[in-house]
Each structure stands twice: as C-alpha cells, then as structure tokens.
Amino acid sequence: MSCCPRATTSSPLSLPRSACRSRSSGGGVAFSSSPCGSANAAASRVLGGGSRRRSGHLVVAASSSSDSKDETTEGKKQEEQEQEFNPFGFVTDNPSSRSAIQLPESPAEDGNVGQMLYRIEDKGRDYGSRVKSGKLRWFVRETGSSDARRGTVVFIHGAPTQSFSYRMVMAQMADAGYHCFAPDWIGFGFSDMPQPGYGFDYTEEEFHESFDELLGTLNITEPFFLVVQGFLVGSYGLTWALKNSSKVLKVAILNSPLTVSSPVPGLFNQLRLPLFGEFTCQNAVLAERFIEAGSPYVLKLEKADVYRLPYLSSGAPGFALLEAARKANFQDVLSRISAGFSSNSWEKPILLAWGISDKYLPLSIAEEFKKGNPAAIKLEPIEGAGHMPQEDWPEKVVSALRYFL
C-alpha cells in the first residue's frame, strides 16, 4: 500500500507558556515582550504592587497577595483564549504539511522556504519531460515504447493534483505491454502556467484545443484507451471524449463526478468567492489537503512534497486553479457527461474503477451513472481506496485496467 494510516495530532504551533514568562529580580513573574506582546503590555502585567526605574532598568517590587490572585485569574483567562485561537488550524495531520507553513523552533537549523524548495525541487518528475506543443510547454510522463503490442493509454488527472498520481500505474501498465502517457494539464503540476489573458484563459474549450494539439505533438494518431480521474480538468477529459469518440477505443473512469447529483467539494466553492478565493488558492498545502480529505490515508512525506511543490514554488498554479474554477460551469458539464455517456448516445465500453472510501464521491454516484447505460458500463469497486485509487491502491487499479483493456 502506498500510503500510511491517518494519525490524529494537534498542531504544535501553540507557543508554550514557559516561552512567554520571565522571572523578575524581585521574585515576581513578568510576561516578556517577545513573542507574546509588547514591552509596555508585559510591564502592565507584572505580578507586583509597584515598580521604579534605575539606570534604565525596570525594578519590580514584591507583589501583594490580592494583586497576585487577580493576575493569576487574568493569566488563566488569557491562556484559555490563546488555546482557543489557533491561526494554523487549517494544517493537515501530515507532519510534512505542517512543516511547510510553520516556523520551526530553530529556523537557522531547519531552514526557510528557499531551502525547503532546494530540498524537494527535483522530486516528482518520474518518467517525465517537457514537451513544447504550439506556444505552450507541457510536462508529460511516458512509459513503454511506441511499438507496444497492446496499444496506447492516455491518463488524465483532475484538479488540484497532477499526473504524478499515475506514476505507479503507468510503470506496471508498461510492463504489461502498453505505451502510456500522462500529461500535466496547462496550469497544473510542472507544465506551463501562463497568466490568464496572456496566451491561455483556462476555459473548457482552450483545454480541449491544447489537448488536441498535444496529441498531435506526441504522434498519437491511432485510437487509444483513455483513463480519467478527478474534478474540473478531469471532467474536461470526459467532455473531450464525447466530442472525439472516434479517437477513443475504451474509457476507464476512476472516481470522478458523473451525474448532476455529484457533490462539488468545498474547495471549488471557496475558490469562486471574491477575495476568499484569492486567499485560498495560495495555500501551499492545498493539493495534499484535498487528497487527504478524500482518502482514508495520509500521504507519505515524500509524496506530499511533490503535490505541494508547484504551489510552494510559485503563485501561478494557484491562480491558474482559481481561474479554471471560476470559469467552469459544473452543472452544465455534469449534465453533458451524464447525457453523453447514456445508452442513447454512447456504445463503447466504459469501466468505473471506484474507490469505495471516497469522502467526496460515494459509490452511489457510480451506481447511478451505470444505470444510464448498463450494457456498456462495468462497475469495479476498489476496497480500501479513496478519491484517488491510483494513489491509494495502484496495484488494484492496474488489475482492473488490464482485465478491462
């Protein structure tokens, strides 16, 4: 199994009270000015009756018992308030996620964001290279060879992730005799991320056009097997198939929204809110949080690093996701998918390899979709897998694909 069990831990970011107190020369306890407050605020909370200045220093007199009780009560209230407010409450249970946004106890030893990027900047490019297609450069993973006896498979990822999720499946499918490609959509992973309005506007039509151009660049001219997973750009992979059915032999769908009743995760609703969306899209742990929230597992640290890397190294992927989410008409897309793959419109075989522990899309979504075209659709539940079965249980996904293809 590629992931580790989820553990519940509290955020280590609350400063210990011992770090916020200092012993005064007069026997009282004074709250220091750093990091818990200003020097004036600290002096006003001195547990004592009076004070005087001598040679620029504050001398604290012994405190009276009544004042001490009042200050003790006030200190307890303040400590309770500090415990209630956790500015880093959005951090995942993954220690690697926390390290991405919290200040370590020893910054000089643990390093800053730049040093973190240096540590992980070469990760996650398994089987991949940059491919120039038209005016854009795609990052494309490739396994197998062009003379593979079983044909070509193209893997499409969803938002806000990247093709890295298919690396294990691709390696095993290549061993089984397939030629595999998995591109990062424009604006995602390690592909180009142009500013909206300057060469790419992140609309469904533009994603389709650029994907068509990429297929030509990769010399994929014969009908191929299409594997799709995920929200938003994953759905665009399915709407592309509806418009280009002659280019597709079979379609395999891993946990994706397929019906108008499919719920839309809160992330995409947040991105559509003015200002709040701009803030949300710049969260460096956005992708790994989304993956973990839909899975029964926590990502291993080395995998979390890769999903975080694009969002940590630049603001561009966040704004690309923001633009794509705001220009997407989710209900219209889902309506076209539901109707387009029904028995009245689609005859080619479809596999639903569905992680039954998906927190976003329950198995009932796949079952409802299957009813629309029972003759063409086969449902294969994958136990133990969540929203991204290719990440959670790649071996089971490969087994289902090999049998289907």
Side-chain angles (χ1 to χ4, degrees):
M1 191 183 307
S2 59
C3 304
C4 52
R6 182 180 296 278
T8 302
T9 58
S10 59
S11 173
L13 295 172
S14 301
L15 290 173
R17 294 296 297 171
S18 59
C20 304
R21 293 195 292 262
S22 60
R23 183 72 61 182
S24 70
S25 60
V29 179
F31 289 85
S32 69
S33 60
S34 176
C36 301
S38 64
N40 291 336
S44 68
R45 290 195 295 268
V46 172
L47 305 184
S51 62
R52 64 184 186 276
R53 290 196 175 274
R54 181 184 301 167
S55 303
H57 297 285
L58 181 65
V59 181
V60 183
S63 62
S64 66
S65 59
S66 61
D67 288 344
S68 178
K69 291 179 180 178
D70 293 341
E71 291 297 332
T72 300
T73 302
E74 180 184 346
K76 288 182 178 179
K77 290 181 179 179
Q78 181 180 356
E79 185 171 353
E80 290 175 356
Q81 292 175 352
E82 290 177 355
Q83 291 176 349
E84 291 175 358
F85 174 67
N86 179 8
F88 297 101
F90 58 85
V91 183
T92 72
D93 293 336
N94 193 327
S96 181
S97 303
R98 293 198 300 270
S99 69
I101 54 92
Q102 72 185 37
L103 289 175
E105 293 183 2
S106 304
E109 297 178 7
D110 291 1
N112 53 28
V113 172
Q115 289 172 314
M116 183 186 300
L117 286 172
Y118 179 77
R119 176 176 61 84
I120 67 177
E121 64 181 352
D122 293 327
K123 286 187 176 182
R125 290 170 171 80
D126 313 53
Y127 315 117
S129 62
R130 301 268 281 182
V131 176
K132 190 171 184 359
S133 177
K135 297 180 180 179
L136 300 170
R137 291 171 299 174
W138 294 67
F139 182 82
V140 182
R141 301 175 197 272
E142 180 181 4
T143 60
S145 62
S146 57
D147 59 351
R149 67 187 186 279
R150 295 186 182 274
T152 300
V153 186
V154 177
F155 295 88
I156 300 296
H157 72 85
T161 62
Q162 52 174 289
S163 63
F164 176 73
S165 64
Y166 287 114
R167 68 202 177 282
M168 298 297 292
V169 173
M170 292 178 66
Q172 295 180 43
M173 291 296 287
D175 292 341
Y178 293 93
H179 189 199
C180 304
F181 293 94
D184 284 343
W185 281 110
I186 295 299
F188 294 84
F190 302 109
S191 289
D192 275 357
M193 303 170 189
Q195 183 178 345
Y198 291 86
F200 201 79
D201 284 330
Y202 300 95
T203 63
E204 180 182 1
E205 293 74 20
E206 284 187 307
F207 279 115
H208 285 175
E209 291 172 3
S210 62
F211 183 63
D212 273 325
E213 195 167 25
L214 176 65
L215 292 177
T217 301
L218 297 176
N219 198 30
I220 302 177
T221 57
E222 299 294 326
F224 57 89
F225 303 109
L226 180 67
V227 180
V228 176
Q229 188 274 329
F231 289 93
L232 191 56
V233 287
S235 296
Y236 291 165
L238 292 176
T239 55
W240 177 90
L242 291 174
K243 296 197 306 185
N244 298 272
S245 59
S246 62
K247 299 180 181 180
V248 176
L249 292 172
K250 297 181 179 181
V251 178
I253 303 175
L254 315 180
N255 300 54
S256 303
L258 300 173
T259 66
V260 291
S261 61
S262 300
V264 178
L267 168 65
F268 299 106
N269 293 324
Q270 294 170 5
L271 289 169
R272 297 165 78 92
L273 296 176
L275 298 181
F276 191 74
E278 279 77 1
F279 172 80
T280 300
C281 76
Q282 295 304 306
N283 184 351
V285 297
L286 179 152
E288 67 204 74
R289 282 191 64 213
F290 183 85
I291 296 169
E292 291 177 346
S295 169
Y297 311 107
V298 171
L299 288 169
K300 290 183 178 180
L301 305 188
E302 60 269 20
K303 297 176 185 177
D305 281 342
V306 178
Y307 287 111
R308 179 191 317 132
L309 178 57
Y311 297 93
L312 187 64
S313 59
S314 168
F319 287 118
L321 175 64
L322 179 74
E323 194 73 11
R326 287 182 172 176
K327 290 184 175 177
N329 186 334
F330 288 94
Q331 288 303 306
D332 175 65
V333 169
L334 294 179
S335 178
R336 282 185 281 130
I337 290 174
S338 180
F341 287 105
S342 67
S343 56
N344 295 329
S345 308
W346 188 270
E347 297 180 351
K348 296 184 178 181
I350 299 174
L351 170 68
L352 301 180
W354 208 268
I356 62 176
S357 297
D358 191 342
K359 309 285 182 61
Y360 298 124
L361 299 168
L363 185 62
S364 58
I365 297 296
E367 293 172 338
E368 179 184 351
F369 182 72
K370 185 181 187 309
K371 291 178 181 178
N373 194 347
I377 300 175
K378 178 188 177 186
L379 175 58
E380 183 75 26
I382 300 180
E383 294 186 6
H387 181 62
M388 292 174 61
Q390 73 271 31
E391 184 69 81
D392 293 343
W393 277 100
E395 299 85 0
K396 292 184 178 182
V397 172
V398 170
S399 178
L401 288 177
R402 290 183 62 179
Y403 182 80
F404 172 68
L405 301 183

